[in-house]
Amino acid sequence: MSDTAATLTQDRQRLEMSALSAPAVIFTVAMIAFPVVYTVWLGFQNFSSTGKQSFAGLANYSKLISDYEFWHGLWVTIALYVLSLVLQLVFGVWLALVLFHAKRLPGIVRSLFISPFMMPPVVAGMMWLVILDPSLGAANYILQSFGLPPSDWLASPTWVIPTVALIDSWQWTPYVALIVLGGLQSLPPSVYEAAQIDGASPFKTFQRITLPLLLPTIVTAAILRSVDLLRFFDIIYITTQGGPGNASNTLNIYGFRVGFEFFNIGYASALMLTLTAIVFGAVLAFNRLRGAVAW
């Protein structure tokens, strides 16, 4: 009887816990599901200039195939994504190694190293607008001090993508460094002791031990940054708004313009769902890679 009573008590506790957590779970699911379902529904609708709405079927998605701005935005998105991700992973690993080995570095200096990613993107964008101003900015002043010609930076179709990638990398490299630093601190010291006994050089130790053991952590950082980089919006909107011309017009910026400037909500929804599918595809690919390099 005692066992039966104990089982009934446990079942009642589980039921009470489920009842208590049910409102929060239902609210969270609804908050996630409703925007997704509504966006999918909007993607099959057509909105006229007078505001009339009609069912469009797959017309919004078939329009993507022949839309030059869509393909251009996709190219800009991928170019920014690849360039920014490579810069952030390379310099993030380097910064993590510096912070890991410089154990006597004062806390205030460590805080300064990682402070950029805590800055709101709007503030970072406005700050870099001033620094990169072609006439009065500090960047061109430094170039001219070394006898180099000034650059148009964000106003140049050639340099706008590398410049935006550098701004984003300046802000988010410390975030990657913190993730990699956590991975470094979890590596087994016995492996390094064995390498030291064998007389391995610092470069060989990094190449043969540190980097392979860090790969799962680096891939995790790549996944987290991929979600943000493929949805590139805030820095671009603050600094260039997709310009000059459409040189930095990513899919996110293009979808924003289509939806909120031209009020074509159906086509904008189709664009955003396509971008969402690209983000999911990148995350799944990196997840598979993480499983392959796990140790």
Side-chain angles (χ1 to χ4, degrees):
M1 290 294 292
S2 60
D3 291 342
T4 304
T7 303
L8 288 173
T9 303
Q10 289 176 356
D11 290 341
R12 187 190 304 172
Q13 288 176 345
R14 291 194 191 98
L15 186 61
E16 289 175 353
M17 290 177 65
S18 299
L20 288 171
S21 61
V25 172
I26 293 170
F27 177 77
T28 303
V29 171
M31 289 295 292
I32 295 172
F34 174 74
V36 173
V37 173
Y38 187 56
T39 304
V40 171
W41 179 77
L42 287 175
F44 293 105
Q45 305 299 312
N46 183 45
F47 293 83
S48 66
S49 57
T50 59
K52 290 184 178 181
Q53 180 181 335
S54 59
F55 182 72
L58 295 174
N60 288 322
Y61 294 94
S62 61
K63 183 180 176 181
L64 293 173
I65 301 172
S66 58
D67 185 0
Y68 166 78
E69 289 296 333
F70 165 75
W71 293 106
H72 176 76
L74 181 61
W75 181 88
V76 172
T77 300
I78 293 173
L80 269 172
Y81 166 68
V82 172
L83 184 56
S84 300
L85 187 63
V86 169
L87 286 173
Q88 290 170 31
L89 291 180
V90 170
F91 286 103
V93 171
W94 172 79
L95 181 57
L97 289 169
V98 170
L99 294 174
F100 181 71
H101 290 292
K103 298 186 185 295
R104 295 184 179 179
L105 206 62
I108 184 66
V109 178
R110 288 173 175 267
S111 300
L112 286 174
F113 270 123
I114 66 173
S115 61
F117 86 89
M118 295 184 287
M119 187 179 295
V122 174
V123 175
M126 295 300 295
M127 182 186 73
W128 280 100
L129 267 180
V130 175
I131 293 173
L132 298 174
D133 185 276
S135 302
L136 304 173
N140 277 343
Y141 175 79
I142 293 171
L143 286 180
Q144 290 174 315
S145 299
F146 288 96
L148 299 172
S151 174
D152 289 333
W153 302 110
L154 295 168
S156 166
T158 304
W159 287 104
V160 65
I161 290 179
T163 303
V164 171
L166 283 172
I167 294 173
D168 192 74
S169 298
W170 169 84
Q171 184 171 19
W172 289 103
T173 292
Y175 176 72
V176 175
L178 277 182
I179 296 173
V180 177
L181 182 60
L184 280 169
Q185 291 171 341
S186 67
L187 297 182
S190 57
V191 182
Y192 291 95
E193 291 168 3
Q196 191 174 8
I197 293 171
D198 291 341
S201 65
F203 177 75
K204 284 291 183 183
T205 302
F206 173 76
Q207 183 185 25
R208 299 291 177 85
I209 298 175
T210 304
L211 189 57
L213 292 177
L214 271 182
L215 278 179
T217 305
I218 294 172
V219 174
T220 300
I223 292 172
L224 294 173
R225 289 305 300 137
S226 293
V227 174
D228 276 342
L229 287 170
L230 287 168
R231 298 182 296 112
F232 226 129
F233 182 84
D234 37 25
I235 289 292
I236 294 177
Y237 191 74
I238 293 297
T239 55
T240 69
Q241 295 191 357
N246 63 351
S248 60
N249 203 30
T250 61
L251 281 182
N252 225 356
I253 295 289
Y254 180 48
F256 174 82
R257 284 183 166 176
V258 169
F260 295 101
E261 292 182 11
F262 303 110
F263 301 105
N264 191 345
I265 303 298
Y267 189 50
S269 299
L271 282 167
M272 292 300 96
L273 286 170
T274 304
L275 178 59
T276 302
I278 293 170
V279 173
F280 270 114
V283 170
L284 289 174
F286 273 116
N287 266 330
R288 285 201 164 199
L289 179 60
R290 191 181 187 283
V293 299
W295 49 276

